[in-house]
Amino acid sequence: MKVYQLSRSQGVCRSIPRRSMGFGIYRGIVFYLRALIVFLAFSFFLAGNLFSQEKTGISLEFKNQEITDILFALSELCGESILPDETVKGKINFQFHDKDFKSALDRFCSSANLYVTENKGVYEVSRVSISKSGEKWAAYCDDADVSQFLTILSRKTSTTIMYDPLPNTGVSLRIKEADLDEILSLVMLKLNGFSLDVSSGGYYIGKSGTTSRRGTESFTLKQAGKGKDALYTLALRQASLEKLIESLFKKAGEEYSLIDTSGVTLQNMFYKDKTFAELLSLILENSSCDCSVNGGIYYIYGIQKKDVLKKFKETNIIKLTNINAETLLSLFPAELNPQSFIRIDKKNNSIILTGSEAETKPIRDFIERIDVATPGLHYARFQLHSIDVKEATSCIPKDFYYSQLIIVPGTKSFIAEVDDEKEKKLNEYMGLIDRKDSSRAVHLKYIKSEELQNHLLPSITKDNITQTGDSSLIFFTGSDESFAKFKEELALVDKPRKQIRYQILVIQHQKTDGFNWSPSFAGTKGEGGKTALHSVSLSNLLDINFDIVAKFGMQFAGNLNAQIENGLSRVLADTTLSALSGEKVTFSNTNIYRYRDVVMSKSDDVYTTTTREISSGLNLNINGWVSGDGMVTVGVEASVSKQGTADPSGNGAPPSTSEKKVTTNVRTKSGEPVIIGGLIQKEKDENEKGTPLVSRIPILGNLFKSRVDSRADTELVIYLVPFIEEGDMEKDDVLERYWNKYIAGAVAQ
């Protein structure tokens, strides 16, 4: 710390350090010599203009001179006392062109960011200005050293401010009215790694973590008065809840008990003139605690922070009179964000608003501005006839009315606030929905109700159709217009599906080399040498229903008859099947072989038997569909399987089987045949012949028996003719048709 003395005769401030008087004399001599040089440099100029300056003003110029030297020169020139403190330093360029000393000093200090205070004729100059404004303080400084600022602040406010060695940093402040705590809080923003503590009415700035080593709590608690009328003032920077509660209850003379509040630390609490109950409530709110009084003892315990915040929230119910509550939410601007504060009471057309005053006030103000009566509105009554009034009001669009709809008790009517335009819209809308839909029975002719339900027509929904136990009867519920449209569409789909009749002939052909055959044809000459009559033997085809001659011609029929007669072909299937278009029909001609399967259990040597089946023969699946152009698309899946010979050992093993399968899709006209071949099998037969009894003698019996092996290739051919049945067809006799087409027709020629 430095002590400054003012020499009135010279007008120069001298700094005398306390630590050494000899060192102070040395510094004083240096200061005087530097001031003397400045004085001599301007002596001739000052001497020549001294008389004129008293009348014309001050005119001086300084280039890159120390601020303290310039102040000394101004002090010597004008004969005034100027006292710069330790914060005044640095160099500056400045020109004085002023009328008097006061204006020159003010203008210079303003340019150099200095502050001037006059005290009993002495002008004190500093980079820091601290003054009191009522109960508050004003603080101004420009890039002042933080340590020097704290020293001046302590001196001006008569407050103890101690600090550890601080970093060399500057601080700038512009505060008009603030508490000392607020000023120090701003200064602490420049001191990273330091903390501010309050103790015994003073302040201490130290490095973070040093306060715990001092063992003191950073708070002061003062009591004014006694008993229930006592008031308490708290200034706290940092303290534990236990210490603060102990001090408060000790001063108030009350008993307490802390429950589960260990480790709670409070910071930055400043309250003035509070009663015991008020201060205790504030402390508990800041520490997320609550208390209960039992037998005169305060039991203090921790609670959740959200429970503390509930004390600051209030609930208000706002009754809306001119606007719908649900519509209100869509009108709020996004910045208000009311969703977390508002609940809607639809029944009473009210808004339940919950939150703090700061949160809810903007929402309340907005509601007051928009919940106003609109000119031209009136109440109108709407009468319903068919539908329930509650159901009707629930489906009315909200933009058809203004306020909430009111149902008239005991009636089928309601009241709404509307203008002329909305009343017209609402009447039109009620005319559309106030209709009683009637139910009508509909008999289906060809399709089933399940098909109609699964494939709905465009004019109906599932709600319009009600199925019954009868698949040909449904009930339609709807308006007259929708029913008429439904009948039009139903007439397009409720039509009989076309039926397809399939003539099927399956023949197995055997291919063997060296076999020659020819049909028996005979012809007689008529008059003029012309052939008048042909004859052919088709006796083997007369029992076949399939019209072979009509579909494939006489030549094919004669060949087939010869093959059947000689055993090279045989008919496996000759049938006629009928099915609706799009439905599958199946034909099977199979043999079933059953055998016993014996299984022995490994655990207890128990034998179990199971009867199994092996089927062999012909399986035919046909699925035809009639298109709009009269063509028939047929999907055919045919398989033929053959069972081999059984195991000659007689141990019950199943015989081997072979299977051929073909799948195809064809498209043909009604009555046009389809031929499916390619089911070729190679068969091998082993036959053994011998003399009875003798051929069974071991070894010797081989002389009395012989083995004959034969091989044959067989092909299965399917002849299929689909017919689209438009109505009942007469079944003509096959022989009669043959005669009329081939015999009678030829004779007629």
Side-chain angles (χ1 to χ4, degrees), residues 3-63:
V3 178
Y4 294 91
Q5 294 180 347
L6 178 65
S7 174
R8 185 63 179 173
S9 61
Q10 299 295 332
V12 178
C13 297
R14 296 178 296 178
S15 175
I16 304 176
R18 287 183 174 180
R19 56 186 177 180
S20 173
M21 184 59 69
F23 181 74
I25 295 174
Y26 171 75
R27 288 194 61 185
I29 294 173
V30 173
F31 183 79
Y32 274 114
L33 289 176
R34 187 171 62 183
L36 181 61
I37 293 172
V38 176
F39 177 76
L40 292 177
F42 297 99
S43 59
F44 293 100
F45 177 78
L46 294 176
N49 296 283
L50 182 60
F51 179 76
S52 61
Q53 288 170 354
E54 295 177 357
K55 297 180 179 181
T56 60
I58 302 172
S59 179
L60 297 173
E61 181 177 359
F62 297 91
K63 293 184 178 181

Coordinates of all heavy atoms in Angstrom, one line a residue, residues 3-63:
V3 N 1.3 5.7 0.3 CA 0.8 6.9 0.9 C 1.2 8.1 0.0 O 2.4 8.2 -0.3 CB 1.3 7.1 2.4 CG1 0.8 8.4 2.9 CG2 0.8 5.9 3.2
Y4 N 0.2 8.9 -0.4 CA 0.6 10.0 -1.2 C 0.5 11.3 -0.4 O -0.4 11.5 0.4 CB -0.5 10.1 -2.4 CG -0.4 8.9 -3.3 CD1 -1.1 7.8 -3.1 CD2 0.5 8.9 -4.4 CE1 -1.0 6.7 -3.9 CE2 0.6 7.8 -5.2 CZ -0.2 6.7 -5.0 OH -0.1 5.6 -5.8
Q5 N 1.5 12.2 -0.7 CA 1.6 13.5 0.0 C 1.6 14.6 -1.1 O 2.2 14.4 -2.2 CB 2.9 13.7 0.8 CG 2.9 12.7 2.0 CD 4.2 12.9 2.8 OE1 5.2 13.5 2.3 NE2 4.3 12.4 4.0
L6 N 0.9 15.6 -0.9 CA 0.8 16.7 -1.8 C 1.6 17.9 -1.4 O 1.5 18.4 -0.3 CB -0.7 17.1 -2.0 CG -1.0 18.3 -2.9 CD1 -0.6 17.9 -4.3 CD2 -2.4 18.7 -2.8
S7 N 2.5 18.4 -2.3 CA 3.4 19.5 -2.0 C 2.7 20.7 -2.7 O 2.6 20.8 -3.9 CB 4.8 19.3 -2.6 OG 5.5 20.5 -2.4
R8 N 2.2 21.6 -1.9 CA 1.4 22.8 -2.4 C 2.3 23.7 -3.2 O 1.9 24.3 -4.2 CB 0.7 23.5 -1.3 CG -0.2 24.6 -1.7 CD -1.4 24.0 -2.6 NE -2.3 25.1 -3.0 CZ -3.3 24.9 -3.8 NH1 -3.5 23.7 -4.3 NH2 -4.1 25.9 -4.1
S9 N 3.5 23.9 -2.7 CA 4.4 24.9 -3.4 C 4.8 24.4 -4.8 O 4.9 25.3 -5.7 CB 5.7 25.1 -2.5 OG 6.4 23.9 -2.4
Q10 N 5.0 23.2 -5.0 CA 5.4 22.7 -6.3 C 4.2 22.1 -7.1 O 4.3 22.0 -8.3 CB 6.5 21.6 -6.2 CG 7.7 22.1 -5.5 CD 8.5 23.1 -6.3 OE1 8.4 23.1 -7.5 NE2 9.2 24.0 -5.6
G11 N 3.1 21.7 -6.4 CA 2.0 21.2 -7.1 C 2.3 19.8 -7.7 O 1.8 19.4 -8.8
V12 N 3.2 19.0 -7.1 CA 3.6 17.7 -7.6 C 3.2 16.6 -6.6 O 3.4 16.9 -5.4 CB 5.1 17.7 -7.9 CG1 5.5 16.3 -8.4 CG2 5.4 18.8 -8.9
C13 N 2.7 15.5 -7.0 CA 2.4 14.4 -6.2 C 3.7 13.5 -6.0 O 4.3 13.2 -7.0 CB 1.3 13.5 -6.7 SG -0.2 14.5 -6.9
R14 N 4.1 13.2 -4.8 CA 5.2 12.4 -4.5 C 4.8 11.1 -3.8 O 3.9 11.1 -3.0 CB 6.2 13.1 -3.6 CG 6.8 14.4 -4.3 CD 7.8 15.1 -3.4 NE 7.1 15.6 -2.2 CZ 7.7 16.3 -1.2 NH1 9.0 16.5 -1.3 NH2 7.0 16.7 -0.2
S15 N 5.4 10.0 -4.3 CA 5.1 8.7 -3.7 C 6.2 8.3 -2.8 O 7.3 8.2 -3.2 CB 4.9 7.7 -4.9 OG 4.7 6.4 -4.3
I16 N 5.8 8.0 -1.6 CA 6.9 7.6 -0.6 C 6.5 6.2 -0.1 O 5.6 6.1 0.7 CB 6.9 8.6 0.6 CG1 7.2 10.0 0.1 CG2 8.0 8.2 1.6 CD1 7.1 11.1 1.2
P17 N 7.2 5.2 -0.6 CA 6.9 3.8 0.0 C 7.2 3.8 1.4 O 8.2 4.4 1.9 CB 7.9 3.0 -0.9 CG 8.2 3.8 -2.1 CD 8.2 5.2 -1.6
R18 N 6.4 3.0 2.1 CA 6.6 2.8 3.6 C 7.8 2.0 3.9 O 8.4 2.1 5.0 CB 5.4 2.2 4.2 CG 4.2 3.1 4.2 CD 3.0 2.4 4.9 NE 1.9 3.3 5.1 CZ 0.8 2.9 5.7 NH1 0.6 1.6 6.1 NH2 -0.2 3.7 5.9
R19 N 8.3 1.1 3.0 CA 9.2 0.2 3.4 C 10.6 0.8 3.7 O 11.4 0.3 4.4 CB 9.3 -0.9 2.4 CG 9.6 -0.4 1.0 CD 9.6 -1.5 -0.1 NE 9.8 -0.9 -1.4 CZ 9.8 -1.7 -2.5 NH1 9.6 -3.0 -2.4 NH2 10.0 -1.1 -3.7
S20 N 11.0 2.0 3.0 CA 12.3 2.5 3.1 C 12.3 4.0 2.9 O 11.9 4.4 1.8 CB 13.3 1.8 2.2 OG 14.5 2.5 2.2
M21 N 12.7 4.8 3.8 CA 12.7 6.2 3.6 C 13.8 6.6 2.7 O 13.6 7.5 1.8 CB 12.9 7.0 5.0 CG 12.8 8.5 4.9 SD 11.2 9.0 4.2 CE 10.2 8.6 5.7
G22 N 14.9 6.0 2.7 CA 16.0 6.3 1.8 C 15.6 6.0 0.3 O 15.8 6.8 -0.6
F23 N 14.9 4.9 0.1 CA 14.4 4.6 -1.2 C 13.4 5.6 -1.7 O 13.3 6.0 -2.8 CB 13.8 3.2 -1.2 CG 13.3 2.8 -2.5 CD1 14.2 2.4 -3.6 CD2 11.9 2.8 -2.8 CE1 13.7 2.0 -4.8 CE2 11.5 2.4 -4.0 CZ 12.4 2.0 -5.0
G24 N 12.6 6.1 -0.7 CA 11.6 7.1 -1.0 C 12.3 8.4 -1.4 O 11.8 9.1 -2.3
I25 N 13.4 8.8 -0.8 CA 14.1 10.1 -1.1 C 14.6 9.9 -2.5 O 14.5 10.9 -3.3 CB 15.2 10.4 -0.1 CG1 14.6 10.6 1.3 CG2 16.1 11.5 -0.6 CD1 15.6 10.8 2.4
Y26 N 15.1 8.7 -2.9 CA 15.7 8.5 -4.2 C 14.6 8.7 -5.3 O 14.8 9.3 -6.3 CB 16.3 7.1 -4.3 CG 16.7 6.7 -5.6 CD1 17.9 7.2 -6.2 CD2 15.9 5.8 -6.3 CE1 18.2 6.8 -7.5 CE2 16.3 5.4 -7.6 CZ 17.4 5.9 -8.2 OH 17.8 5.5 -9.5
R27 N 13.4 8.0 -5.0 CA 12.4 8.1 -6.0 C 11.9 9.6 -6.1 O 11.5 10.0 -7.2 CB 11.2 7.2 -5.6 CG 11.5 5.7 -5.8 CD 10.3 4.9 -5.7 NE 9.3 5.4 -6.7 CZ 8.1 4.9 -6.9 NH1 7.6 4.0 -5.9 NH2 7.3 5.3 -7.8
G28 N 11.9 10.3 -5.0 CA 11.4 11.7 -5.0 C 12.4 12.5 -5.9 O 11.9 13.4 -6.6
I29 N 13.7 12.3 -5.8 CA 14.6 13.1 -6.6 C 14.4 12.8 -8.0 O 14.4 13.7 -8.9 CB 16.1 12.7 -6.1 CG1 16.3 13.2 -4.7 CG2 17.1 13.3 -7.1 CD1 17.7 12.8 -4.1
V30 N 14.2 11.5 -8.4 CA 14.0 11.1 -9.8 C 12.7 11.8 -10.3 O 12.7 12.3 -11.4 CB 13.9 9.6 -9.9 CG1 13.5 9.2 -11.3 CG2 15.3 9.0 -9.6
F31 N 11.7 11.8 -9.5 CA 10.4 12.4 -10.0 C 10.6 13.9 -10.2 O 10.1 14.4 -11.2 CB 9.4 12.1 -8.9 CG 8.0 12.6 -9.3 CD1 7.2 11.9 -10.1 CD2 7.5 13.8 -8.7 CE1 6.0 12.3 -10.5 CE2 6.3 14.2 -9.1 CZ 5.5 13.5 -10.0
Y32 N 11.4 14.5 -9.3 CA 11.5 16.0 -9.4 C 12.4 16.3 -10.6 O 12.1 17.2 -11.4 CB 12.2 16.5 -8.2 CG 11.2 16.9 -7.1 CD1 11.2 16.2 -5.9 CD2 10.3 17.9 -7.3 CE1 10.3 16.5 -4.9 CE2 9.4 18.3 -6.3 CZ 9.4 17.6 -5.1 OH 8.5 17.9 -4.1
L33 N 13.4 15.5 -10.9 CA 14.3 15.8 -12.1 C 13.4 15.6 -13.4 O 13.6 16.4 -14.3 CB 15.5 14.8 -12.1 CG 16.5 15.1 -11.0 CD1 17.6 14.0 -11.0 CD2 17.2 16.4 -11.2
R34 N 12.6 14.6 -13.4 CA 11.8 14.3 -14.6 C 10.8 15.5 -14.8 O 10.6 16.0 -15.9 CB 11.1 13.0 -14.5 CG 10.3 12.6 -15.8 CD 9.8 11.2 -15.7 NE 8.8 11.1 -14.6 CZ 8.2 10.0 -14.3 NH1 8.5 8.9 -14.9 NH2 7.4 10.0 -13.3
A35 N 10.2 15.9 -13.7 CA 9.3 17.0 -13.8 C 10.0 18.3 -14.2 O 9.5 19.1 -14.9 CB 8.5 17.2 -12.5
L36 N 11.3 18.5 -13.7 CA 12.0 19.7 -14.0 C 12.3 19.8 -15.5 O 12.3 20.9 -16.1 CB 13.3 19.7 -13.1 CG 14.2 21.0 -13.3 CD1 13.4 22.3 -12.9 CD2 15.5 20.9 -12.5
I37 N 12.7 18.6 -16.1 CA 13.0 18.6 -17.5 C 11.7 19.0 -18.3 O 11.8 19.8 -19.2 CB 13.4 17.2 -17.9 CG1 14.8 16.9 -17.3 CG2 13.5 17.1 -19.5 CD1 15.2 15.4 -17.5
V38 N 10.6 18.5 -17.9 CA 9.4 18.9 -18.6 C 9.1 20.4 -18.4 O 8.7 21.1 -19.4 CB 8.2 18.0 -18.1 CG1 6.9 18.5 -18.8 CG2 8.4 16.6 -18.4
F39 N 9.4 20.8 -17.2 CA 9.1 22.2 -16.9 C 10.0 23.1 -17.7 O 9.6 24.2 -18.3 CB 9.3 22.5 -15.4 CG 9.1 23.9 -15.0 CD1 7.8 24.5 -14.9 CD2 10.2 24.7 -14.7 CE1 7.7 25.8 -14.6 CE2 10.0 26.0 -14.3 CZ 8.8 26.6 -14.3
L40 N 11.3 22.8 -17.8 CA 12.3 23.7 -18.5 C 12.0 23.6 -20.0 O 12.2 24.6 -20.7 CB 13.7 23.2 -18.3 CG 14.2 23.4 -16.8 CD1 15.6 22.8 -16.7 CD2 14.3 24.9 -16.5
A41 N 11.5 22.5 -20.5 CA 11.2 22.4 -22.0 C 10.1 23.3 -22.4 O 10.1 23.8 -23.5 CB 10.8 20.9 -22.3
F42 N 9.2 23.6 -21.5 CA 8.1 24.5 -21.9 C 8.2 25.9 -21.1 O 7.3 26.6 -21.1 CB 6.8 23.9 -21.5 CG 6.5 22.6 -22.3 CD1 6.8 21.4 -21.7 CD2 6.1 22.7 -23.6 CE1 6.6 20.2 -22.4 CE2 5.9 21.5 -24.3 CZ 6.1 20.3 -23.7
S43 N 9.4 26.1 -20.5 CA 9.5 27.3 -19.6 C 9.4 28.6 -20.5 O 8.7 29.6 -20.1 CB 10.8 27.3 -18.8 OG 11.9 27.3 -19.7
F44 N 10.1 28.6 -21.6 CA 10.1 29.8 -22.4 C 8.7 30.0 -23.0 O 8.2 31.2 -23.0 CB 11.1 29.7 -23.5 CG 12.5 29.7 -23.0 CD1 13.2 28.5 -22.9 CD2 13.2 30.9 -22.6 CE1 14.5 28.5 -22.5 CE2 14.5 30.9 -22.2 CZ 15.2 29.7 -22.1
F45 N 8.1 29.0 -23.4 CA 6.7 29.1 -24.0 C 5.7 29.5 -22.9 O 4.9 30.4 -23.1 CB 6.3 27.7 -24.6 CG 4.9 27.8 -25.1 CD1 4.6 28.3 -26.3 CD2 3.9 27.2 -24.4 CE1 3.4 28.3 -26.8 CE2 2.6 27.2 -24.9 CZ 2.3 27.8 -26.1
L46 N 5.9 29.0 -21.7 CA 5.0 29.3 -20.6 C 5.2 30.7 -20.1 O 4.3 31.5 -19.8 CB 5.2 28.4 -19.5 CG 4.8 26.9 -19.7 CD1 5.1 26.0 -18.5 CD2 3.3 26.8 -20.1
A47 N 6.5 31.1 -20.1 CA 6.9 32.5 -19.6 C 6.3 33.5 -20.5 O 5.8 34.6 -20.1 CB 8.4 32.6 -19.4
G48 N 6.4 33.2 -21.9 CA 6.0 34.3 -22.8 C 4.5 34.4 -22.9 O 3.9 35.4 -23.3
N49 N 3.8 33.4 -22.5 CA 2.3 33.4 -22.6 C 1.6 33.3 -21.3 O 0.4 33.1 -21.3 CB 1.9 32.2 -23.5 CG 2.4 32.3 -24.9 OD1 1.9 33.0 -25.7 ND2 3.5 31.5 -25.2
L50 N 2.3 33.5 -20.2 CA 1.7 33.3 -18.9 C 0.6 34.4 -18.7 O -0.5 34.1 -18.2 CB 2.8 33.4 -17.8 CG 2.2 33.2 -16.4 CD1 1.6 31.9 -16.2 CD2 3.4 33.4 -15.4
F51 N 1.0 35.6 -19.1 CA 0.1 36.7 -18.9 C -1.2 36.6 -19.8 O -2.3 36.8 -19.4 CB 0.8 38.0 -19.1 CG -0.1 39.2 -18.9 CD1 -0.5 39.6 -17.6 CD2 -0.7 39.9 -20.0 CE1 -1.4 40.7 -17.5 CE2 -1.5 41.0 -19.8 CZ -1.9 41.4 -18.6
S52 N -0.9 36.1 -21.0 CA -2.0 36.1 -22.0 C -2.9 34.9 -21.7 O -4.1 34.9 -22.0 CB -1.5 35.9 -23.4 OG -0.7 34.8 -23.5
Q53 N -2.4 33.8 -21.0 CA -3.2 32.6 -20.7 C -4.3 32.9 -19.7 O -5.3 32.3 -19.6 CB -2.3 31.5 -20.2 CG -1.5 30.9 -21.3 CD -0.4 29.9 -20.7 OE1 -0.3 29.8 -19.5 NE2 0.3 29.3 -21.6
E54 N -4.0 33.9 -18.8 CA -5.0 34.2 -17.8 C -6.3 34.8 -18.5 O -7.3 34.8 -17.9 CB -4.4 35.2 -16.8 CG -3.3 34.6 -16.0 CD -2.7 35.6 -15.1 OE1 -3.2 36.8 -15.1 OE2 -1.8 35.3 -14.3
K55 N -6.0 35.3 -19.7 CA -7.2 36.0 -20.4 C -7.7 35.1 -21.5 O -8.9 35.1 -21.8 CB -6.8 37.4 -20.9 CG -6.4 38.3 -19.7 CD -6.1 39.7 -20.3 CE -5.7 40.6 -19.2 NZ -5.4 42.0 -19.7
T56 N -6.8 34.5 -22.2 CA -7.2 33.8 -23.5 C -7.3 32.3 -23.2 O -7.9 31.6 -24.1 CB -6.1 34.0 -24.6 OG1 -4.9 33.4 -24.1 CG2 -6.0 35.4 -24.9
G57 N -6.9 31.6 -22.1 CA -7.1 30.2 -21.8 C -5.8 29.5 -21.8 O -4.7 30.0 -21.8
I58 N -5.9 28.1 -21.9 CA -4.7 27.2 -21.9 C -4.5 26.6 -23.2 O -5.5 26.0 -23.8 CB -4.9 26.1 -20.8 CG1 -5.2 26.7 -19.4 CG2 -3.8 25.1 -20.8 CD1 -5.6 25.7 -18.4
S59 N -3.3 26.6 -23.7 CA -3.0 26.0 -25.0 C -1.6 25.3 -24.9 O -0.6 25.9 -24.8 CB -2.9 27.1 -26.1 OG -2.5 26.5 -27.3
L60 N -1.7 24.0 -24.8 CA -0.5 23.1 -24.6 C -0.6 21.9 -25.6 O -1.7 21.5 -25.9 CB -0.4 22.6 -23.2 CG -0.2 23.7 -22.1 CD1 -0.3 23.0 -20.7 CD2 1.1 24.4 -22.3
E61 N 0.6 21.3 -25.9 CA 0.6 20.2 -26.7 C 1.6 19.2 -26.2 O 2.7 19.5 -25.9 CB 0.9 20.5 -28.2 CG 1.0 19.3 -29.1 CD 1.3 19.7 -30.5 OE1 1.4 20.9 -30.8 OE2 1.3 18.8 -31.4
F62 N 1.2 17.9 -26.1 CA 2.0 16.8 -25.6 C 2.0 15.7 -26.5 O 1.0 15.3 -27.0 CB 1.5 16.4 -24.2 CG 1.6 17.4 -23.1 CD1 0.5 18.2 -22.9 CD2 2.8 17.6 -22.4 CE1 0.6 19.2 -21.9 CE2 2.8 18.6 -21.4 CZ 1.7 19.4 -21.1
K63 N 3.2 15.1 -26.8 CA 3.3 14.0 -27.7 C 4.0 12.8 -26.9 O 5.2 13.0 -26.5 CB 4.1 14.3 -28.9 CG 3.4 15.3 -29.8 CD 4.2 15.6 -31.1 CE 3.5 16.6 -32.0 NZ 4.2 16.8 -33.3

